[in-house]
Amino acid sequence: MLEKPLGELDELVLLAIGVLREEAYGYPIKELINSETHRNTALATIHAALYRLEKRGFVSSHLGGATRARGGRRKRLFTVTSAGMQALETTRATRERLWTRMATG
Amino acid sequence: MMTPHPPAYARALLHWFCSPDWLEEIEGDLYEQYQADHHRYGPRRAHVYYWFHLLRFVRPYVLRRNRPAHAPLFGPIMLKNYLTIALRTFRKNTGYTAINITSLAVGLACCVLILLYVQHERSYDRFHANGDRIYRVFAELRWGDQVHEMARSPHPLGPTLAETVPEITAAVRLQGAGELVASRNNQRFRENRFLFADPNVLDVFSFTLQAGDPATALTDPNSILLTASTAAKYFGTANPIGETLDIDRLGSLRVAGILDDVPENSHLQFDALLSYTFLAERLPTQMAAWDNFVTSTYLLAAPHTDATVLAKAIARSVEASPHASGSVTYGVDAFQDIYLHAYKDGDLGTGSDVRYLYLFSAIAAFIMLIACLTFVSLATARATERQREVGLRKVLGAHRLQLTRQFLTEALLLTLVASGLALLLAHLAFPGFNTISGKPLVFPHSATFWLAFIGLTLGIGLVAGSYPAFALASFSPKQGLYGAPTSLLRGQRLRSTLVVVQFSLSLGFMVSALVMADQLQYLQTKDLGFNQDQVVTLRMPPALHGLRMERAKHAFSQHPNVLQASASYHTPGAGHAQYFSEVEGLEKPYAFPTYIVDTDYLDVMEMDMVAGRAFSDALTTDATAAFIVNEAAVAAFGWEEPLGKRVRWDQNKDGTVIGVVRDFHIASLHAPIEPLVLHVDPSYFRQLSLRIRAEDVRETLSGLETIWASLAPDQPFRFAFLDDTFAAHYQSEQRILRLVDYATLLAIFIACLGLFGLAAFTAQRRMKEMGIRKVMGATVTGLVMLQTRVFARLVFMAFVIATPLAYLAMQRWLTTFAYQTDVQPRLFVLAGAVLLLLTLVTVSVQTLKAARANPVDVLRHD
């Protein structure tokens, strides 16, 4: 497990998953990030980030919940693992340290 | 409102490249995205965005990792199973297997033979170490508006060029020694393959010396080099080095070395080499003459010399020389190009034409094509029988590619067996093929051949087998296992097309063969302008040339079966000479083909006069100042009144035209009739032409031989029949015709084989239908006609397609002859009728078997 902070997109994705709780899958994650950051990130980018995060062990996923809105296809739902939470904490800590130094230095 | 759908193609693409692990969620997310876009922007933009989003997903982790067929296309694992199934399939349907193997074998055998032939032809002259640096000089002679190319040059040209042109390392002159008689210890033989050669010939060309010193082999004027077989002929097993060989007209020559026999694939052929220094010694004035074009000059260029640079250097040297003449320029041909591409008038040895290679290759390719089509046709026809097998295999988990592999293996196995058979067939066919082609081909040893053959076999197997393999592999299990076997119509249109193609090719072959035979027939029977039957020509020995010919002529005329005799310089069909002549009414001198004859010539040949009179003994001026021209000359010179026009022949014989002879052919009918002049001059006489009685030819010949022996006891008797001499011109056409005939037979054979199999299959499939029809009251004949009608229609279509193409092709071929027949429509009809008949017979036979079956048996299991 690395003590390095996460990249910006990875961090956003993890946060988004945390926000969305049960309905945390590709499309809503993308919509949330785009609406919060006023950017136009592509679905594929998000998906790639999710894949990376899962490979590193920061999220876990399972298939479930086919709805009519998706033409009957199941979604892959993500949850943040404890390692992922740790990574988020590390990232946040790094940011706050720098903020503090900027304010006091 | 209908649920909007994303573009189908995009989705199909996604299904194709996306790994199944991610497919569902990615497709779902894309779908949601699409819905949102559709709602916000409308359908068109939503479609576009869908594509964008989709393509962004093309990333390494998304793409399919393992293809379904985990093993490579030709792995060894399932091979044993495939082989077993293949053999089982073959045994079950021995008929079809036999047909397939036979047709493929025949096609491959043709390819083998043609391959060997082409390889042989292209290997000519390649054995010379300096081969790519050797060039042969040719001369361009200009007379007035006429240009004539000859592969001859003056004697001094070679040495002069070797001295003055730095790009030339060496020059070698070769000149035929003509007909001589050589003898040793009372063994005498007539030889005409002896060549005079410059002493450096062995440095330039790679004719190897078995015995003797290459440095001095030909320096002595009286030396001679014999090839191994010639040496054996005269000296047996004894060592001939240092011994003498007597040559008439030349004297005794000393054998200075033995050469390996000249390989067959050399366009230069000789039995012995004599030294050029001999000619230099005996004929010094001739050797220095620049206006005599008798010898062939070969140049060895310095390494890496460009041909055009060489040609320019030669031109410069010639222009600068004091002997330059405005009417002669020289060029060079690469030595190794001569045989197939650049054989010219006057070249030593023999030449061929590269177009024959193209023609034969095309014929082999067509036959192979027909065989492949038969294979494809039969394989797809029988496909329906294997549906169940394919269905079962798919259910058990086989992927399409694995099945394709299986069927390709079967095809390759068939092809391998066919190739073995093909080699056997080719081996058996060698003697016959060699007679037709005129080349001594032997069973191949070279590695390149075997590689090419294996490559060809595999290639054919893959090409022919790939379509059926793919088609079979694509059967779905549902079709195979549940439903009744698919109707016969599957792939029917393809098979019909294949059959039409096969028939078209066969028709093409047939028509070609018929047209060629027709043209050849025409050539051989066309009126040549004189009577070439029952004329014996004799080339007299030099001792009897010229004025001494009269005695011989008289002697031969005494034979009771000799009706009339005549002496001349040339005879029709055996070459002619052209002489510079001044002609009344023409500004520049004209190169006149000339026949020098005696007063009886026109009678012996039975040529007709159309104006004036023939030569007569009564008028002495006829021998010194009279000319006869042919109709073509009158037309060419624009003479309204030919009689009395003045001609100055060879710039030293003046005379007037006393008569016009009807045009006759002096050469093969490839060339049009040119203007010709005849005159009398006994000093030129070299040949006798005898018109003999039609009966007792053999007696006549032996009588002539006796007379010959009394006149020229030390010369072997040689004669020729005039009609044979002419026929020899069409040798190559006759050869091609034979080849096309055989090719046609093979093509039809294979096509019919295929048809046989196809008809059998169709009939079998239709048995149920026929049973029902019979119950309904159809007769056997009616059923047969029903089937044959289908195939007859195909023949008709093939006819429609093939006829215009064949017509055009044949027209083009005929234009190579100055005298040609027309392409007769009846030949097409004949070919079409033959094909139709064959088809009807083949199909009927098969259909009959099936149609006779008892409907009860057939319909029992339905």
Side-chain angles (χ1 to χ4, degrees), chain B residues 655-717:
Chain B
T656 56
V657 175
I658 62 164
V660 179
V661 68
R662 190 158 63 96
D663 278 339
F664 62 92
H665 289 271
I666 59 175
S668 81
L669 276 84
H670 282 109
I673 296 184
E674 291 182 341
L676 181 74
V677 65
L678 298 96
H679 65 105
V680 177
D681 190 341
S683 61
Y684 281 83
F685 291 163
R686 280 210 311 216
Q687 307 199 45
L688 282 180
S689 307
L690 311 172
R691 178 166 290 285
I692 62 175
R693 254 189 249 282
E695 304 84 24
D696 304 324
V697 169
R698 205 179 295 170
E699 265 188 40
T700 315
L701 285 177
S702 67
L704 292 177
E705 185 166 3
T706 324
I707 299 177
W708 173 283
S710 71
L711 292 168
D714 55 350
Q715 303 282 342
F717 177 57

Side-chain angles (χ1 to χ4, degrees), chain B residues 626-645:
Chain B
F627 295 103
I628 295 181
V629 296
N630 65 355
E631 294 170 303
V634 174
F637 304 146
W639 285 344
E640 294 216 357
E641 180 42 63
L643 300 178
K645 290 281 189 294

Side-chain angles (χ1 to χ4, degrees), chain B residues 88-362:
Chain B
R88 216 177 279 165
T89 321
F90 295 161
R91 238 188 300 259
K92 247 189 3 174
N93 303 301
T94 37
Y96 298 122
T97 316
I99 291 179
N100 272 328
I101 293 187
T102 315
S103 55
L104 282 176
V106 169
L108 278 173
C110 285
C111 288
V112 165
L113 290 173
I114 300 296
L115 206 71
L116 286 175
Y117 178 81
V118 169
Q119 208 188 26
H120 176 86
E121 291 287 281
R122 290 188 50 185
S123 73
Y124 265 63
D125 301 326
R126 301 279 151 194
F127 61 89
H128 294 290
N130 298 322
D132 54 349
R133 290 165 53 197
I134 307 180
Y135 294 87
R136 189 264 289 112
V137 177
F138 67 88
E140 279 181 338
L141 304 161
R142 285 194 177 71
W143 292 301
D145 297 321
Q146 301 163 291
V147 179
H148 186 60
E149 271 185 354
M150 270 181 70
R152 297 280 177 89
S153 28
H155 290 285
L157 182 70
T160 313
L161 287 179
E163 264 179 58
T164 56
V165 178
E167 285 91 342
I168 297 179
T169 316
V172 177
R173 293 167 296 182
L174 295 175
Q175 186 182 330
E179 293 202 359
L180 345 129
V181 176
S183 57
R184 159 96 193 159
N185 294 343
N186 297 327
Q187 291 219 320
R188 32 177 13 111
F189 296 97
R190 209 162 190 168
E191 303 282 356
N192 60 5
R193 288 182 8 147
F194 282 20
L195 291 181
F196 284 103
D198 273 320
N200 58 353
V201 63
L202 297 175
D203 298 329
V204 173
F205 293 103
S206 301
F207 298 117
T208 36
L209 209 55
Q210 268 180 12
D213 178 14
T216 60
L218 277 181
T219 40
D220 182 52
N222 291 319
S223 53
I224 182 173
L225 300 176
L226 304 176
T227 58
S229 24
T230 316
K233 193 162 76 162
Y234 289 98
F235 295 95
T237 48
N239 182 7
I241 308 245
E243 303 292 334
T244 52
L245 195 66
D246 297 312
I247 317 260
D248 72 338
R249 294 194 288 126
L250 302 179
S252 286
L253 300 177
R254 192 182 58 88
V255 178
I258 308 285
L259 295 162
D260 279 339
D261 282 346
V262 180
E264 202 273 335
N265 56 354
S266 160
H267 87 273
L268 293 175
Q269 293 283 330
F270 53 83
D271 290 326
L273 293 177
L274 296 88
S275 176
Y276 221 83
T277 51
F278 182 93
L279 293 173
E281 217 177 66
R282 300 289 180 89
L283 308 164
T285 31
Q286 278 198 30
M287 291 289 115
W290 280 84
D291 54 1
N292 215 347
F293 296 84
V294 214
T295 191
S296 301
T297 307
Y298 299 86
L299 304 170
L300 180 68
H304 310 299
T305 311
D306 188 58
T308 35
V309 167
L310 183 66
K312 284 212 192 92
I314 293 176
R316 262 177 297 154
S317 162
V318 169
E319 273 171 27
S321 121
H323 308 281
S325 148
S327 54
V328 183
T329 42
Y330 296 100
V332 288
D333 287 319
F335 178 74
Q336 288 173 330
D337 284 347
I338 295 178
Y339 180 66
L340 286 177
H341 303 276
Y343 190 79
K344 290 188 162 68
D345 187 24
D347 249 319
L348 292 172
T350 50
S352 176
D353 196 330
V354 73
R355 286 175 301 179
Y356 289 149
L357 298 187
Y358 295 149
L359 179 68
F360 295 162
S361 306

